Amino acid sequence: MQSLLVITNSGAGTSDEENLHIALAVLRERASVEVARTSNPGELDGVLHRAGGRTVVVAGGDGSMHAVITALHKRHELADTTLGLLPMGTGNDFARGNDIPLEIADAARLVLDGEARPVDLIVDETGSIVVNNVHVGVGAQASRKGATWKSRLGSIGVGKVNLGKLGYPIGAALSAFHPPSWRLRVEIDGKVVNDVDQQVLMVAIGNGGNVGGGTELNPDADTEDGLLDVMISRAVKPTAKLGYVLRLRKGEHDQRDDVVSLRGQSVKVSGDEFWLSADGEISGPDRSRSWRLERAAYSLILP
């Protein structure tokens, strides 16, 4: 019998509790399950201390997944841990990008029947991790604006069936009307692929492909391929900005002539002061940041 440690947010709402109940009913048919509810990093660290080699199942959204992986990485236990995911967030971008079912009962069955495979991780120069995607420029502006709209629209609907996932596209559209451009040097594996004489609208570094509740920012990103997908948008003219945003919503922006898609194992961005969004968390301003791929950093239960 499998032994599972299910970690969930102690502040979860009613709909999340209902989904958790459904998932646990499926899991307990064939596994030994302990449920741990945490509300802060200290509690999470204590829970992981007693994991004892069990599969750690994250019941939550992208933020919960980021928190658990961060804690395991800091404990130097990530490489020896197998994780599962029960997607219970609003966006669930990491689940989408890894073909993990969004229907909670199906996700629970995947935890029981799926295959544990090694997946990659992004690590920055400070040792902090990015599970899914990091982007600078207008994308970070969109995330800052989108967070407000996500909160507003999330109240329209019932449970997870709401308009919250439109937050990022709306943020991107609003940012398109008054966005600056940035003079940034982008280096991939030590090679300059964009210099400061070429202005950019945004740079996105993807381990996973989706952000903002299903927007395919790096459409071909794959957490198992050992490469970072880097998208550079040079759509800085007014009409080009709007066209870029419209194509972005459809996941077709990479087909534009002013968008460059590249791959590598390390990325450095420097130049004008910029903000960044890493797994949805906004930070900055910075003038230089770098990231590298940590290949096969942990095991994730996948279809």
Side-chain angles (χ1 to χ4, degrees):
M1 177 177 285
Q2 296 183 55
S3 184
L4 309 175
L5 174 61
V6 177
I7 298 177
T8 187
N9 189 337
S10 59
T14 301
S15 62
D16 287 335
E17 286 296 328
E18 292 174 353
N19 280 329
L20 181 61
H21 179 77
I22 293 170
L24 292 176
V26 173
L27 295 175
R28 283 173 170 154
E29 290 179 357
R30 293 162 47 195
S32 171
V33 181
E34 177 190 353
V35 179
R37 302 176 185 274
T38 67
S39 61
N40 58 63
E43 289 181 354
L44 177 57
D45 191 63
V47 166
L48 293 172
H49 181 70
R50 65 173 192 266
R54 289 177 289 178
T55 296
V56 175
V57 180
V58 179
D62 297 336
S64 297
M65 194 70 175
H66 178 96
V68 171
I69 292 176
T70 294
L72 287 166
H73 190 261
K74 288 181 178 179
R75 293 175 59 86
H76 304 288
E77 296 174 355
L78 184 59
D80 299 321
T81 302
T82 296
L83 289 112
L85 176 59
L86 300 172
M88 291 165 48
T90 302
N92 296 315
D93 290 301
F94 189 68
R96 293 172 191 272
N98 285 282
D99 296 323
I100 294 173
L102 301 186
E103 178 62 42
I104 198 67
D106 292 338
R109 295 185 188 98
L110 175 63
V111 169
L112 297 172
D113 298 326
E115 177 185 4
R117 301 203 299 269
V119 294
D120 305 328
L121 188 68
I122 302 174
V123 183
D124 71 17
E125 75 275 25
T126 71
S128 298
I129 63 99
V130 179
V131 175
N132 187 50
N133 190 286
V134 56
H135 48 92
V136 310
V138 74
Q141 277 193 326
S143 292
R144 295 173 74 184
K145 293 178 181 293
T148 300
W149 281 95
K150 178 180 175 180
S151 176
R152 293 173 180 171
L153 295 172
S155 64
I156 303 175
V158 179
K160 295 292 185 283
V161 183
N162 59 56
L163 299 181
K165 65 182 180 179
L166 297 178
Y168 183 82
I170 289 176
L174 291 174
S175 297
F177 289 101
H178 299 289
S181 56
W182 287 262
R183 294 186 180 276
L184 297 175
R185 172 176 292 176
V186 182
E187 302 169 58
I188 300 178
D189 295 339
K191 179 182 178 181
V192 177
V193 296
N194 193 93
D195 216 335
V196 292
D197 59 342
Q198 178 69 69
Q199 296 183 65
V200 302
L201 186 66
M202 72 178 298
V203 179
I205 303 158
N207 185 38
N210 293 270
V211 302
T215 299
E216 292 185 308
L217 190 54
N218 296 89
D220 296 323
D222 184 343
T223 55
E224 299 179 78
D225 67 1
L227 292 168
L228 297 172
D229 281 52
V230 184
M231 185 278 295
I232 303 170
S233 172
R234 296 168 177 156
V236 296
K237 295 181 179 180
T239 56
K241 291 173 182 177
L242 187 56
Y244 171 78
V245 169
L246 294 175
R247 296 291 289 271
L248 175 64
R249 185 65 190 100
K250 298 178 181 179
E252 299 174 350
H253 56 291
D254 59 336
Q255 299 174 20
R256 292 177 56 90
D257 292 339
D258 52 14
V259 171
V260 179
S261 297
L262 302 165
R263 285 177 171 167
Q265 294 187 324
S266 67
V267 182
K268 181 178 181 180
V269 177
S270 58
D272 286 345
E273 194 173 80
F274 59 84
W275 291 76
L276 64 90
S277 174
D279 286 345
E281 294 295 321
I282 306 296
S283 64
D286 294 290
R287 287 190 176 274
S288 179
R289 293 297 302 271
S290 60
W291 300 267
R292 62 177 175 83
L293 186 79
E294 188 172 311
R295 187 164 190 179
Y298 64 99
S299 294
L300 179 66
I301 299 176
L302 295 171

